[in-house]
């Protein structure tokens, strides 16, 4: 690797050629603050917080370190009085038109702007007081709220929506002092073809965009003695919930999560992983049916509601490729209010079905039509991993010191196949474990691991020979990657049998509802890979690792559904999709 020699604050530093000053400084143990910069997503050098002095032989001058490349012999100064004063003034200017309600702000304590103001000793002195904007709050979308009074125009959200997701329903409207981030033609976000993925929220440094919350309604239901309030938790939640409580990224906290939910007051603490195993039973059967009966191929997974909404808006002509299986969250709710309600003698109307998800699109999904197996909605409320972390704090639960507790039975039992649903390639691998087992005569020796579909790459392909048949699969995560696969399918150029698509890059571990990670960490850590490790670790240590081995799922079929894809299974576990237009809900 070719390197370049520079000095930073008088210290000799060698860094790879092509590095920016920011990257070279990080390598030397110096974190230069940023607000707009997001590696490979938003490299616009606009916020000016990362300014440093750089001398290339013509005297020191201020440059934006996030985009300025190092050159041989360059002298960099990251903390001169001039640099520190410049950053302080920039923060004062931002605060001069900022709704500074830190005490109640959803991001307080985890806000990148607030931290910088603290680090630089900038408070509400309003040195540049004058005219201020009063932007209208946009709460038209099902999943999130935009409060531009707390926006710093860093444009990270625009880049995530446009580049990572290939959607582009938000942008900077107006110019200069009255610039605001919003949707085209004055539309509310809910009127656009936003897919509710929440990737914009995940990268926002402030409290300007945040998920809509039903936590107060959930707590009211828990306090109501006539209600049975039951919670399920998605696989990826356990891989990230520890982060706000100081656990290193990638630490699995399943046992503490179950213990915390019990202490909040949920009557039953169940696991969405149970329904992930059911999903595999249904999806693998549907796939084999399509293969043997000449059905539409490739079949595409249907677990990710952001992906489903994307397909409905942007590829409505391709919906017959999508599996008819409800998502695991919705399957769980359907089973809860039919099978489990019958077993317990509960009236489905008295059950309040709650989920904890790494996903903001779930807030849209619970309101979809055709998701009411028992005549009442399968799900009543859903909260994100972030909302659960805040609720745990609000309820005074000492998360770090909780004992590890198990889920309740029977909808707490799951296999290793289910827990890897949270990482890109996980649904594919889980489905292959069961489909190959079926195709090879239900042999105990059928393969367990399909490592070709693991990893954080945006698109992965693999071909397997199974029982004399060639099975070509593809896995895509992040919707700009989904577009590449879908364009191939639409053009008739794809020879895949089965495709997995997840809306969020890296899958649910990096979902729009997961704890936000500051840019100082995000720019130098692969969040997707770190969190996925926790899930593969669970998988490796599970006594059963194939969905068809789940004893409670076998019992569910024996007692209630009969066979996968049976008439009753279709009524409770499957759904239909709608054709949507762009810029129309
Ligand atoms: S966005 Fe940050 S600085 Fe602004 S009110 Fe919220 S916590 Fe405070
Ligand atoms: S939720 Fe997703 S689609 Fe909607 S604005 Fe944010 S990034 Fe774009
Ligand atoms: S909403 Fe957040 S990410 Fe988007 S421009 Fe404003 S501060 Fe930046």
């Amino acid at each position: 690797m070719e390197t370049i020699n520079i000095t930073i604050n008088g210290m000799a530093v060698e860094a790879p050629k092509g590095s920016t000053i920011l990257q070279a400084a990080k390598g030397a143990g110096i974190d230069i603050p940023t607000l707009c910069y997001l590696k490979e997503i938003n490299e616009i050098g606009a916020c000016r917080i990362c300014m440093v002095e750089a001398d290339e032989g013509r005297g020191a001058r201020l440059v934006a370190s996030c985009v300025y490349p190092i050159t041989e012999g360059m002298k960099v100064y990251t903390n001169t009085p001039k640099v520190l004063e410049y950053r302080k003034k920039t923060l004062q200017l931002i605060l001069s038109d900022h709704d500074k309600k830190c005490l109640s702000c959803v991001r307080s304590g985890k806000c990148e702007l607030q931290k910088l103001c603290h680090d630089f000793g900038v408070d509400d002195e309003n040195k540049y007081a004058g005219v201020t904007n009063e932007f209208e709050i946009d709460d038209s979308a099902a999943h999130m709220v935009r409060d531009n009074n707390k926006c710093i125009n860093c444009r990270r959200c625009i880049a995530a929506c446009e580049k990572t997701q290939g959607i582009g329903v938000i942008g900077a409207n107006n110019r200069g002092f009255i610039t605001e981030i919003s949707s085209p033609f004055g539309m509310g976000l809910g009127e656009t073809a936003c897919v509710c993925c929440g990737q914009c929220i995940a990268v926002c440094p402030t409290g300007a965009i945040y998920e809509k919350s039903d936590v107060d309604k959930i707590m009211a239901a828990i306090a109501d003695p006539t209600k049975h309030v039951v919670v399920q938790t998605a696989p990826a939640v356990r891989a990230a919930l520890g982060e706000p409580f100081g656990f290193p990224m990638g630490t699995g906290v399943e046992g503490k999560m179950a213990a915390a939910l019990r202490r909040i007051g949920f009557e039953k603490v169940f696991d969405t992983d149970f329904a992930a195993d059911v999903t595999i039973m249904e999806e693998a059967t549907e796939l084999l049916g399509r293969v043997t009966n000449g059905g539409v191929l490739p079949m595409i997974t249907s677990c990710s509601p952001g992906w489903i909404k994307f397909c409905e808006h942007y590829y409505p002509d391709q919906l017959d490729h999508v599996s008819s299986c409800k998502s695991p969250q919705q399957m769980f709710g359907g089973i809860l209010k039919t099978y489990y309600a019958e077993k317990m003698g509960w009236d489905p109307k008295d059950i309040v079905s709650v989920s904890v998800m790494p996903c903001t699109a779930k807030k849209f999904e619970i309101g979809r039509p055709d998701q009411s197996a028992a005549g009442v909605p399968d799900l009543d409320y859903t909260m994100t991993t972030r909302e659960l972390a805040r609720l745990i704090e609000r309820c005074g639960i000492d998360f770090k010191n909780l004992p590890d507790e198990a889920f309740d039975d029977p909808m707490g039992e799951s296999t290793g196949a289910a827990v890897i649903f949270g990482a890109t390639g996980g649904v594919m691998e889980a489905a292959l474990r069961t489909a190959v087992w079926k195709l090879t005569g239900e042999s105990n020796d059928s393969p367990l691991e399909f490592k070709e579909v693991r990893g954080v790459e945006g698109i992965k392909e693999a071909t397997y020979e199974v029982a004399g048949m060639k099975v070509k699969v593809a896995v895509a995560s992040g919707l700009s990657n989904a577009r590449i696969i879908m364009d191939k399918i639409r053009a008739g150029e794809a020879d895949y049998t089965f495709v997995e698509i997840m809306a969020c890059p890296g899958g649910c571990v990096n979902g729009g509802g997961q704890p936000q990670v500051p840019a100082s960490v995000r720019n130098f850590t692969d969040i997707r890979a770190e969190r996925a490790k926790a899930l593969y670790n669970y998988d490796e240590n599970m006594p059963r690792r194939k969905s068809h081995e789940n004893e409670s799922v076998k019992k569910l079929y024996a007692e209630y559904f009969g066979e996968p894809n049976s008439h009753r299974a279709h009524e409770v576990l499957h759904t239909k999709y709608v054709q949507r237009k762009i810029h129309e809900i």
Side-chain angles (χ1 to χ4, degrees):
M1 180 182 47
E2 215 178 321
T3 57
I4 284 184
N5 295 297
I6 61 170
T7 63
I8 302 183
N9 303 337
M11 187 177 74
V13 172
E14 191 180 355
K17 190 177 177 192
S19 301
T20 60
I21 295 174
L22 184 87
Q23 288 162 340
K26 179 71 183 178
I30 299 167
D31 272 323
I32 297 173
T34 57
L35 276 173
C36 65
Y37 175 72
L38 273 188
K39 191 177 163 202
E40 288 161 15
I41 300 174
N42 200 40
E43 301 182 340
I44 57 175
C47 75
R48 317 313 273 177
I49 281 291
C50 70
M51 299 300 272
V52 297
E53 287 194 85
D55 185 350
E56 293 173 279
R58 287 171 285 138
R61 62 197 182 96
L62 285 166
V63 298
S65 66
C66 69
V67 288
Y68 205 92
I70 54 169
T71 52
E72 190 65 35
M74 176 189 264
K75 295 187 178 107
V76 176
Y77 305 94
T78 66
N79 54 15
T80 60
K82 190 173 175 182
V83 165
L84 298 181
E85 190 52 29
Y86 187 97
R87 291 186 191 151
K88 192 167 176 177
K89 273 208 175 89
T90 303
L91 290 169
Q92 285 167 333
L93 281 164
I94 291 173
L95 286 195
S96 72
D97 187 27
H98 186 82
D99 181 19
K100 298 174 277 290
K101 291 206 187 84
C102 290
L103 289 183
S104 59
C105 181
V106 71
R107 277 304 283 278
S108 197
K110 298 178 178 76
C111 170
E112 294 180 46
L113 174 63
Q114 188 187 45
K115 179 179 184 306
L116 280 177
C117 289
H118 173 264
D119 292 351
F120 283 83
V122 175
D123 62 14
D124 196 3
E125 65 196 73
N126 248 350
K127 189 162 171 159
Y128 301 105
V131 181
T132 53
N133 283 298
E134 258 188 57
F135 295 110
E136 251 180 61
I137 289 179
D138 180 5
D139 61 358
S140 58
H143 66 302
M144 67 177 268
V145 178
R146 173 175 289 280
D147 178 359
N148 276 340
N149 300 299
K150 290 184 177 168
C151 174
I152 59 170
N153 285 335
C154 71
R155 291 165 164 78
R156 285 193 202 170
C157 56
I158 299 172
C161 188
E162 175 119 24
K163 283 198 199 158
T164 312
Q165 299 298 64
I167 292 174
V169 288
I170 46 174
N173 285 332
N174 301 322
R175 289 292 172 265
F177 182 64
I178 57 165
T179 302
E180 73 167 321
I181 314 300
S182 51
S183 304
F185 313 116
M187 285 190 289
L189 187 62
E191 297 168 81
T192 71
C194 163
V195 303
C196 307
C197 67
Q199 283 299 311
C200 50
I201 307 175
V203 298
C204 178
T206 73
I209 42 180
Y210 52 90
E211 64 272 71
K212 279 188 173 168
S213 183
D214 282 326
V215 162
D216 290 343
K217 292 179 191 158
I218 295 167
M219 295 311 284
I222 287 175
D224 182 344
T226 67
K227 299 292 180 198
H228 302 288
V229 188
V230 176
V231 69
Q232 54 163 311
T233 60
V237 176
R238 72 207 69 196
L241 181 63
E243 291 167 25
F245 300 100
F247 288 92
M249 190 178 285
T251 307
V253 292
E254 181 179 294
K256 290 186 191 302
M257 176 179 71
L261 289 164
R262 217 161 264 134
R263 279 153 185 76
I264 288 170
F266 290 99
E267 186 173 336
K268 295 285 176 193
V269 179
F270 286 143
D271 196 355
T272 315
D273 291 16
F274 168 84
D277 279 331
V278 177
T279 304
I280 291 302
M281 301 304 288
E282 293 296 317
E283 210 164 63
T285 306
E286 184 184 350
L287 176 65
L288 295 180
R290 288 187 187 219
V291 169
T292 47
N293 302 327
V296 177
L297 291 174
M299 188 176 93
I300 312 178
T301 57
S302 55
C303 305
S304 164
W307 143 245
I308 293 296
K309 194 165 187 281
F310 174 82
C311 191
E312 290 176 333
H313 279 295
Y314 299 96
Y315 295 90
D317 51 323
Q318 303 298 313
L319 283 165
D320 53 357
H321 286 278
V322 182
S323 161
S324 63
C325 288
K326 286 180 180 174
S327 72
Q329 165 184 271
Q330 298 299 127
M331 281 199 186
F332 187 100
I335 298 166
L336 176 71
K337 292 194 179 180
T338 55
Y339 168 71
Y340 188 74
E342 265 182 36
K343 265 181 116 64
M344 298 295 283
W346 291 352
D347 184 337
K349 292 193 190 70
D350 294 333
I351 301 176
V352 179
S353 165
V354 178
S355 69
V356 186
M357 294 282 139
C359 176
T360 51
K362 294 283 174 194
K363 292 178 188 280
F364 174 80
E365 185 182 43
I366 64 172
R368 289 183 67 97
D370 193 28
Q371 305 272 347
S372 309
V376 287
D378 296 338
L379 259 287
D380 296 287
Y381 305 117
T382 177
M383 63 175 135
T384 61
T385 311
R386 284 191 295 270
E387 287 175 273
L388 175 59
R390 288 197 290 272
L391 182 59
I392 289 170
E393 280 173 356
R394 191 190 290 180
C395 293
I397 292 163
D398 179 8
F399 189 81
K400 207 152 191 184
N401 294 309
L402 285 177
D404 284 340
E405 291 182 7
F407 291 108
D408 289 311
D409 280 331
M411 292 170 74
E413 186 184 344
S414 64
T415 69
V419 78
I420 59 174
F421 263 55
T424 169
V427 180
M428 174 63 69
E429 183 168 349
L432 287 170
R433 288 181 191 179
T434 288
V436 173
W437 167 78
K438 278 198 167 215
L439 282 168
T440 52
E442 308 197 351
S443 151
N444 284 337
D445 300 329
S446 67
L448 188 57
E449 297 191 338
F450 296 83
K451 291 197 169 160
E452 299 77 10
V453 294
R454 295 187 185 181
V456 297
E457 295 79 30
I459 295 178
K460 293 164 279 185
E461 290 181 348
T463 304
Y464 300 103
E465 289 285 330
V466 188
M469 207 169 38
K470 194 180 102 180
V471 179
K472 186 168 178 190
V473 301
V475 172
S477 70
L479 291 171
S480 51
N481 293 318
R483 264 190 199 283
I484 295 169
I485 297 281
M486 291 310 293
D487 286 344
K488 267 172 105 173
I489 293 174
R490 184 181 262 165
E493 292 163 4
D495 57 349
Y496 309 121
T497 311
F498 190 32
V499 175
E500 177 203 293
I501 298 184
M502 293 288 159
C504 294
C508 308
V509 285
N510 190 32
Q514 293 283 65
Q516 281 137 320
V517 176
S520 54
V521 176
R522 179 178 273 274
N523 286 329
F524 301 98
T525 311
D526 194 333
I527 302 172
R528 305 162 300 176
E530 291 304 313
R531 289 178 180 160
K533 273 186 212 158
L535 300 186
Y536 286 110
N537 193 32
Y538 277 121
D539 172 34
E540 262 178 38
N541 292 296
M542 299 285 271
R544 296 191 180 91
R545 297 180 64 192
K546 295 174 180 168
S547 296
H548 53 269
E549 294 171 351
N550 182 323
E551 291 299 329
S552 299
V553 170
K554 284 187 202 169
K555 203 166 166 205
L556 169 74
Y557 278 99
E559 291 180 356
Y560 199 69
F561 290 127
E563 295 294 325
N565 287 200
S566 66
H567 179 68
R568 193 175 224 181
H570 264 277
E571 282 179 347
V572 177
L573 307 175
H574 291 251
T575 190
K576 295 186 188 69
Y577 305 110
V578 292
Q579 299 203 337
R580 297 175 200 272
K581 291 184 183 159
I582 296 178
H583 301 320
E584 184 181 275
I585 271 274

